[in-house]
Amino acid sequence: MQSSTHLGPATSFAPENSFDAVIIGAGFSGLYMLHRLREQGLRARVYEVGDDVGGVWYWNRYPGAKCDVESIYYNYTFSEALLKEWTWTTRYADQPSILRYLNHVADRFELRRDIQFRTRITAAHYDEATARWVVHADNGQTVAARYLISGAGCLSSTNTPPFSGQDQFKGPQLHTGQWPHEPVDFRGKRVGVIGTGSSGIQAIPEIAKEAGHLYVFQRTPHYSTPAGNRAHAAEFLDETRERYPQIRQHMRESSNGVAKEVRRDSALKDTEDGRAARYEQAWQDGGTLLAAYGDLLTNADANATAGEFIREKIRDTVKDPAVAELLLPRYMYGCKRPVLDSGYYETFNRDNVTLVDVKSDPIEGITAAGVKTGSREYPLDMIVFATGYDAMTGALFRIDLRGRDGISLREKWQDGAAIRTYLGVATAGFPNFFMITGPESPSVLSNMVISIEQHVEWISDCIRHAEQRGCMAVEADSQAEAEWSRHCKEVADTTLLPQGESWYTGANIPGKQRSFPIYLGGVGAFRKHCDGVSARGYEGFILTPQAAKAA
Ligand code: NA7
């Protein structure tokens, strides 16, 4: 019935292959979306590549993997009962705890019966005649649904640079974002880690504890500050439970989705001693230094004061001055994602750790024996790629997504050069297609779970609105999306962030078009804006009534 380029009309689907909604991915987004739509009486089916729930927390099993948002904020807030029955034991939750939490959520709300695992959605085409999506999976299955919702994630499409000779290497090659389920034994091995972003910085201290020798291949030194991870005291947990209604409110109205006071004063108005004291306090407390002043991400001179403070800490920590020098980051702090660590810089004082600067001596390729840079070969037993993700658009572009008139999302967005969304949730020409934390929403520059909840709730309300009015299609208006995209860019340009060479801008992927597809107006302002749109009858969306079908 279907060919590979045209998936065919959305008629003649057996009831078991026909849904109200198809949801892509069983991470934080897909799980909650499924729960909401089921509560609304819709028949929804989630398709997930992994063997089980968890999304990025299913795949990122590397040693040291942790969330850099404090655990008490990094959970769903929609269910009082769920909040009461779950306890985070440490300030930052590690990957096994978060995966346990998501398994608990899946069990508690009986979500698994509507999730099909080990299935990758490869294509989804909109059939205008029937106003349904025809969705194709890698197992040959084709299903139809009125709504298509992506919970595919912002950081789920792994990036492994195309090093020549990679297939020659004799030992195991692992990517932090696709880590094996069985324990990896580093004991006595010569291990190479390529990449020093969040994943590398979390994994390196743990691998170093076990490996015979660890070679860290660093291209850009990143800023990292101590996480200050610790066990939660019982009193703190009691008090958090009691205050959670206020905490939740604060998170929802905040700029970044966590319930912390935001400082607005300028680093440049403080004295040198005042700044040093404040940065020191933040360093001791743990977490990033970005909240220490209000202008660190908007004023390059203010930013430089934080950068210099961190560089001084690195010089103080790393005993070998030459190694310390190589570890000093020079870009503007925060323009690449700031990293939180547990003993990262200290790791370079170990005898079994060597830092290899591949900026001055680039990796030429991988050989049967190890990694070859311009000047020498490093013999290795195992290579760990901590080389990140094709972020923001990678997971969406991997699917052959086609809206009205067969236009693909990739074509519409010109490979990322012309991303256009309305509220990060919809895009013109793709009726009944919703993205959870899509490009141009606060997404990765906020507490993802709070942003996911807001998007899921907004999408399910929008679908309810359309269903109640008997609409066959909901679609972003191209004028409204042009205005939203312009607004996003305008807000981003008031900050230093678009100037960064980071995965935020796509600069980490060779040949990828640069953009800055993240809304920086803040979680609270974004929520207010979305609520205003729905209160005004889904302003900026075109709702097509059923009758129009016959017309
Ligand atoms: P990141 O932050 O994108 O880090 C990837 C690292 O890999 C980074 O240090 C890169 O150096 C390095 N890299 C990439 N390609 C190469 C090549 N060709 N040669 C040498 N080094 C390379 O990914 P993470 O997984 O650490 O973190 C992603 C996000 O996931 C994180 O921010 C959290 O939000 C969760 P570069 O800096 O580009 O010079």
Side-chain angles (χ1 to χ4, degrees):
M1 183 177 62
Q2 286 89 22
S3 73
S4 55
T5 46
H6 293 287
L7 299 179
T11 48
S12 68
F13 278 84
E16 67 270 20
N17 288 328
S18 186
F19 301 96
D20 294 317
V22 157
I23 300 164
I24 305 169
F28 268 102
S29 299
L31 292 179
Y32 186 35
M33 194 76 240
L34 171 62
H35 178 60
R36 283 289 288 213
L37 292 184
R38 270 194 346 200
E39 277 193 329
Q40 286 177 209
L42 297 187
R43 214 168 144 253
R45 170 63 50 94
V46 176
Y47 292 95
E48 163 59 52
V49 180
D51 289 341
D52 208 339
V53 300
V56 293
W57 297 109
Y58 172 88
W59 297 104
N60 279 261
R61 295 162 187 258
Y62 61 85
K66 273 189 204 68
C67 181
D68 59 6
V69 173
E70 290 183 44
S71 57
I72 58 164
Y73 308 126
Y74 197 76
N75 47 215
Y76 294 119
T77 64
F78 68 85
S79 160
E80 291 297 331
L82 178 60
L83 278 167
K84 286 208 174 85
E85 71 203 16
W86 190 262
T87 303
W88 297 111
T89 53
T90 51
R91 181 180 181 189
Y92 296 94
D94 58 15
Q95 177 271 338
S97 314
I98 301 172
L99 193 57
R100 268 198 302 280
Y101 173 74
L102 288 170
N103 272 278
H104 170 71
V105 171
D107 291 340
R108 176 182 210 295
F109 297 105
E110 295 177 19
L111 299 176
R112 283 194 178 80
R113 65 182 149 89
D114 289 315
I115 305 174
Q116 184 175 314
F117 295 106
R118 292 175 286 280
T119 309
R120 180 183 290 285
I121 298 303
T122 52
H125 295 182
Y126 184 65
D127 177 24
E128 207 165 351
T130 57
R132 287 167 81 75
W133 283 89
V134 181
V135 182
H136 193 67
D138 60 352
N139 61 359
Q141 204 179 349
T142 305
V143 299
R146 199 152 58 251
Y147 302 101
L148 175 69
I149 303 168
S150 169
C154 303
L155 289 156
S156 53
S157 180
T158 53
N159 165 48
T160 305
F163 292 120
S164 67
Q166 212 182 323
D167 52 339
Q168 318 275 303
F169 184 62
K170 294 278 191 289
Q173 302 182 48
L174 309 172
H175 193 290
T176 48
Q178 284 174 334
W179 201 258
H181 287 214
E182 55 283 359
V184 177
D185 188 0
F186 298 106
R187 280 173 306 173
K189 307 244 166 65
R190 294 163 305 175
V191 182
V193 174
I194 303 178
T196 53
S198 304
S199 306
I201 287 177
Q202 288 186 340
I204 284 161
E206 296 305 312
I207 297 175
K209 286 178 197 161
E210 252 196 42
H213 201 94
L214 174 63
Y215 294 89
V216 176
F217 296 91
Q218 172 193 268
R219 188 166 65 182
T220 308
H222 288 215
Y223 289 101
S224 185
T225 53
N229 199 18
R230 55 178 177 259
H232 280 146
E235 307 78 64
F236 171 79
L237 289 171
D238 290 345
E239 192 242 356
T240 300
R241 273 211 177 90
E242 210 161 285
R243 275 195 318 114
Y244 218 83
Q246 293 96 290
I247 292 176
R248 174 171 44 203
Q249 190 65 16
H250 190 162
M251 284 154 81
R252 291 181 177 189
E253 291 169 1
S254 68
S255 61
N256 56 3
V258 301
K260 296 216 163 178
E261 292 314 318
V262 174
R263 288 200 166 100
R264 304 209 180 274
D265 55 338
S266 166
L268 301 178
K269 298 249 163 70
D270 208 344
T271 61
E272 210 165 304
D273 287 351
R275 272 198 302 267
R278 196 180 288 186
Y279 287 143
E280 183 62 35
Q281 186 63 54
W283 183 273
Q284 297 304 332
D285 289 348
T288 82
L289 301 193
L290 286 175
Y293 292 98
D295 57 352
L296 297 183
L297 286 176
T298 52
N299 182 309
D301 293 333
N303 185 287
T305 63
E308 188 45 36
F309 179 85
I310 298 173
R311 283 191 289 277
E312 206 44 47
K313 284 288 185 189
I314 299 169
R315 291 184 191 104
D316 286 350
T317 309
V318 179
K319 291 192 182 126
D320 181 335
V323 176
E325 187 59 31
L326 287 178
L327 285 165
L328 301 182
R330 298 286 178 189
Y331 58 91
M332 280 188 283
Y333 178 47
C335 286
K336 283 176 182 274
R337 184 165 177 108
V339 183
L340 305 188
D341 71 87
S342 300
Y344 176 64
Y345 294 113
E346 291 82 348
T347 299
F348 293 92
N349 293 331
R350 297 178 67 106
D351 292 336
N352 69 334
V353 175
T354 301
L355 180 65
V356 183
D357 171 23
V358 297
K359 179 77 106 195
S360 64
D361 187 17
I363 297 174
E364 285 190 343
I366 311 259
T367 64
V371 168
K372 166 97 181 65
T373 66
S375 71
R376 59 165 282 200
E377 186 177 59
Y378 292 85
L380 300 170
D381 300 309
M382 195 184 282
I383 301 176
V384 173
F385 292 94
T387 42
Y389 298 88
D390 182 355
M392 313 311 292
T393 51
L396 288 169
F397 286 166
R398 202 151 59 170
I399 303 167
D400 175 24
L401 260 165
R402 290 177 189 270
R404 274 192 289 107
D405 305 323
I407 297 291
S408 82
L409 190 66
R410 201 176 187 132
E411 279 161 13
K412 180 186 165 182
W413 287 355
Q414 295 172 25
D415 282 329
I419 293 171
R420 295 275 178 280
T421 78
Y422 186 35
L423 311 177
V425 80
T427 189
F430 291 75
N432 292 354
F433 170 58
F434 296 100
M435 296 166 284
I436 305 168
T437 64
E440 301 182 333
S441 73
S443 71
V444 294
L445 280 160
S446 70
N447 170 4
M448 281 302 284
V449 186
I450 283 299
S451 288
I452 285 168
E453 275 197 335
Q454 185 268 336
H455 252 182
V456 166
E457 288 163 13
W458 194 92
I459 292 167
S460 47
D461 289 348
C462 177
I463 289 177
R464 183 193 285 117
H465 178 91
E467 294 283 300
Q468 283 170 348
R469 278 154 190 78
C471 296
M472 66 187 285
V474 184
E475 181 184 346
D477 171 59
S478 53
Q479 186 61 32
E481 84 169 10
E483 274 165 31
W484 180 252
S485 293
R486 188 190 46 73
H487 175 59
C488 278
K489 186 169 180 332
E490 208 170 72
V491 177
D493 286 343
T494 63
T495 77
L496 305 169
L497 284 161
Q499 300 172 33
E501 296 279 305
S502 66
W503 58 256
Y504 297 147
T505 60
N508 64 322
I509 305 290
K512 187 171 176 178
Q513 300 288 339
R514 302 288 176 91
S515 62
F516 189 82
I518 307 165
Y519 179 62
L520 292 181
V523 162
F526 181 71
R527 174 182 290 271
K528 231 174 162 176
H529 190 90
C530 292
D531 289 349
V533 165
S534 47
R536 291 187 293 276
Y538 293 89
E539 182 182 59
F541 282 89
I542 303 160
L543 281 85
T544 313
Q546 283 290 353
K549 187 180 163 188

